[in-house]
Amino acid sequence: MICVGVVVLGSPWVERPLLETPSQNAFVSWLQDVVSAPEWHAPAGEAVGAAGQWSMLVGAATLVLGLLLIMPGLMTRAPAGRVRRAAAIGAGALIGATSGLLGWSVEAAFGHGLGESQSQLFVSFVPSSTVFGILLGVVTGLVFTRSDASAPHAGEAEARPQEGSSLIDTLADSSPAALGEVDGDVTRYLCVAAYLDPSFARTVVERLLGDPFGAVAASPGVDLRPVARHCLAARELRFRRDLKLLAVWTGIALIAPLWLLLAGVVLGVLSGRITDGPGRRGRPGPDDRGRGGPDVSASVRWIVITAVPLAVAVVLLGIGLSVLGLPGLQRWLLGAYLYGVPAVLALGVGLFAAHRVVAQEELDLDERLRTTLRRSNFQPEATPQPAPAASWVEDRLDAVAEAQQGNVTIYSGWSPFMGFSAPTSTWSLAIPLLPASHPLGAGPGRLIDFDAWDLVEQIRSCWQKLAEHQPEHEASERLSGLVVQDRVFVHGATIGGDPRFVPEAGSLLTTLEPEQVKQIALNPTGSARHWLTGYLPLWGGDVVSSLLLNISVSGQTVHVRWSRHILGPVRGRYHTIDALPTVLTAERRRVLGLAALQRTRSVLLSAPLAALGHTLFESRHRRRLLREWQAIGNDPGFDYGARFSAREAALNATYPNYYQPQDGERALNALDHHTLATICDFLEAHGVDITDLKQQQQTILNHGVIQQGGVSNVGNLAVGQGAKVSGPAPAASE
């Protein structure tokens, strides 16, 4: 749409009314020059000379091609927010400057009759085109930011680049075949994600390992240490690839800089017709039951048929540019010297070398996935050792492992449950401690004293028996494997002076002694609160059902708060590891070669920025360390809370299988049933009147709500005076 707008804005029918009235105001005149940047005319004998018309066409075509070739990939790779907008503005300025430079080159070579010097021509072309490119970048950044905000699942977890291996397309995120099976599968899938999803690996390293004073969010069902190590190894492999591609990029840029754009065009044309199945491109149609994989023969034929005329066209372009008699700077920029032979050779050799580098990466990745990350071979403790890293990396890995074994969650923001996913429902009970009637009818009985910890221990004992698969429990089989923990949740901005969590500045404790946990449960004041936590990994950890209980006794009332969570599956493309062939066949090698051709353009053009970003990582980390260390000393409200969950960062948008959310809900319902029964038995054994609680128990289990005034909406249920339901109930999953 933006490209169409540029073409329409530059058309004679729009430009003439805008420019035919000259203005005496310098600012208005400058705006007219900026607006005229995309102007184009069909070459004809008009007031503007033929050279001027060709320069306009070249400039406008460069704007459109630059937008088409650079902006889409850049906007999907750049993180959402300010970084994406800044990238769009920078790319727009580069595209605009290139457009003006090419237009100036054509005009300077053929438009000598206009009476302007080359410096005057340069001033009239390049600055206005650069400003117009900046405006295009602003518009593009706003459009992409707005589209992200309007997406149903907008956010960092959904902003994923497509630079990763095309192997990830073997299984779509929504594929019903993307299922975990055995314990530990989800850890393995996240290790696979480190190689298939560059953004995931980069985010884990930057936001988990590179956060020097941040706490580690809970990741139920996941061992984060091997995931982090695989992310480090994947980044190192990509850095080595980017260094090789940077050498290719630099070679082309030194000989003919603007031929880098031509390299993008050539690679785009060659890979544009790689077909999926006989004569089919893209995704399978509604009548297709599967994908046949790339049609290697048809794709190779297209590449051969296309490569020959492309080679001829490139040679003719080099010869044509060299005979134009351009000045020195333009000749170098366009490679228009020595009949274009150096530029043609640099382009041909460079593209061949770049494809070889990417193809070798595909082969190495395929071997790594087939050997070390297959279910039968995967060993979490046998993680790769990346290149020698700074000592702080190992220290941070130890801190991550220690936090996973701890019983403290230090959170940031509003919700304390980062890592467990957003709650599917929360509700609470307020049970008055009234004595039950004496069994012989001699008036009320006597209450037996108890505290919140006594009730916590009773419920914990019940959950542990369910987790141990005791045959006397009817729901023990479906809850076998339940992980039971006493966890303390505390906000990271409130612990600066608390020696229980921060024994010294910049140091976090994530494990409390049992007596400390008990005291927090018995004294529910301040920001630290105790929650009895039980989570059950299902489908190999792809689905995790969690129930968290906060119990307190205040005066003559027992308060119990429920928080139910179902952590959904990881992205379907990470499950591709289970669909890979066991051996590398000749056909598979050709498929990987085609996949490499599809990726070469994006990784070649982005190699300088990628290599620079990796090189500057240590310096960025040192600056962040210094900045946050100063903040710790000056800000008593320094926030130590976790702000990133690797498990939630890999969440899929939907459940690929109908029974996954059903199983998660069934486990929670069984846990609810046993928890309520345990509460009733405990209170009854301590002489508490539970008549009303037993009468309401079925309502609680069915709807998860007790209404005591006001209005509550739970799904398609409305409770309370004047309550009503409007519209259909939201679907659980798509």
Side-chain angles (χ1 to χ4, degrees), residues 530-659:
H530 166 270
W531 290 77
L532 181 61
T533 304
Y535 68 85
L536 180 65
L538 304 168
W539 296 79
D542 241 356
V543 177
V544 181
S545 297
S546 304
L547 178 61
L548 292 86
L549 294 181
N550 177 248
I551 300 172
S552 62
V553 177
S554 175
Q556 295 299 307
T557 307
V558 175
H559 299 275
V560 184
R561 183 164 185 83
W562 256 257
S563 186
R564 293 159 48 104
H565 306 255
I566 300 180
L567 186 61
V570 298
R571 289 180 173 83
R573 55 184 178 269
Y574 303 161
H575 294 248
T576 294
I577 181 66
D578 297 330
L580 292 181
T582 56
V583 296
L584 179 63
T585 63
E587 180 72 10
R588 177 71 176 171
R589 186 183 292 272
R590 287 191 288 269
V591 169
L592 293 177
L594 293 176
L597 181 60
Q598 288 182 315
R599 298 176 52 224
T600 300
R601 179 177 66 172
S602 62
V603 295
L604 174 62
L605 297 182
S606 62
L609 289 178
L612 180 63
H614 189 282
T615 304
L616 296 179
F617 174 69
E618 283 293 336
S619 63
R620 292 199 309 270
H621 181 266
R622 286 194 296 270
R623 289 196 301 270
R624 179 175 183 176
L625 183 66
L626 177 61
R627 184 173 63 250
E628 294 193 357
W629 186 255
Q630 292 174 341
I632 290 174
N634 297 324
D635 185 0
F638 182 85
D639 190 354
Y640 291 93
R643 297 182 175 179
F644 170 75
S645 167
R647 178 64 173 86
E648 288 188 334
L651 276 178
N652 201 2
T654 60
Y655 289 90
N657 189 278
Y658 175 82
Y659 296 106

Side-chain angles (χ1 to χ4, degrees), residues 55-117:
S55 68
M56 293 176 184
L57 279 176
V58 169
T62 304
L63 283 173
V64 174
L65 286 175
L67 287 171
L68 289 174
L69 294 175
I70 297 176
M71 284 298 191
L74 181 64
M75 292 298 97
T76 53
R77 279 193 295 273
R82 296 179 180 177
V83 175
R84 179 173 296 178
R85 291 192 291 270
I89 293 173
L94 177 62
I95 294 170
T98 303
S99 168
L101 194 60
L102 290 177
W104 166 61
S105 300
V106 175
E107 181 68 29
F110 301 104
H112 303 296
L114 295 180
E116 291 183 308
S117 65

Side-chain angles (χ1 to χ4, degrees), residues 492-506:
T494 64
I495 62 175
D498 194 332
R500 295 174 299 177
F501 308 106
V502 186
E504 58 185 23

Side-chain angles (χ1 to χ4, degrees), residues 135-217:
L135 295 178
L136 279 182
V138 172
V139 173
T140 305
L142 291 175
V143 168
F144 274 85
T145 302
R146 184 177 180 85
S147 65
D148 282 347
S150 61
H153 299 282
E156 180 187 9
E158 298 302 321
R160 292 288 167 187
Q162 300 302 317
E163 188 267 319
S165 171
S166 60
L167 295 173
I168 63 176
D169 294 332
T170 301
L171 285 180
D173 286 346
S174 59
S175 172
L179 302 173
E181 296 180 8
V182 302
D183 293 342
D185 265 353
V186 71
T187 297
R188 185 170 59 92
Y189 292 142
L190 294 187
C191 293
V192 171
Y195 302 98
L196 298 187
D197 190 345
S199 177
F200 177 79
R202 182 169 56 249
T203 306
V204 168
V205 173
E206 295 275 358
R207 301 197 61 187
L208 178 64
L209 299 181
D211 189 357
F213 301 109
V216 179

Side-chain angles (χ1 to χ4, degrees), residues 204 207-219 222-226 228-229 232 390-410 487 501 506-511 621 640 642 644:
V204 168
R207 301 197 61 187
L208 178 64
L209 299 181
D211 189 357
F213 301 109
V216 179
S219 295
V222 177
D223 186 355
L224 284 179
R225 191 182 182 100
R229 282 199 176 278
L232 287 169
S391 59
W392 67 263
V393 174
E394 287 297 329
D395 294 340
R396 183 61 177 171
L397 285 170
D398 293 338
V400 168
E402 180 182 346
Q404 284 196 282
Q405 302 300 321
N407 56 7
V408 176
T409 293
I410 303 173
R487 295 196 71 85
F501 308 106
S507 176
L508 293 180
L509 279 181
T510 55
T511 302
H621 181 266
Y640 291 93
F644 170 75

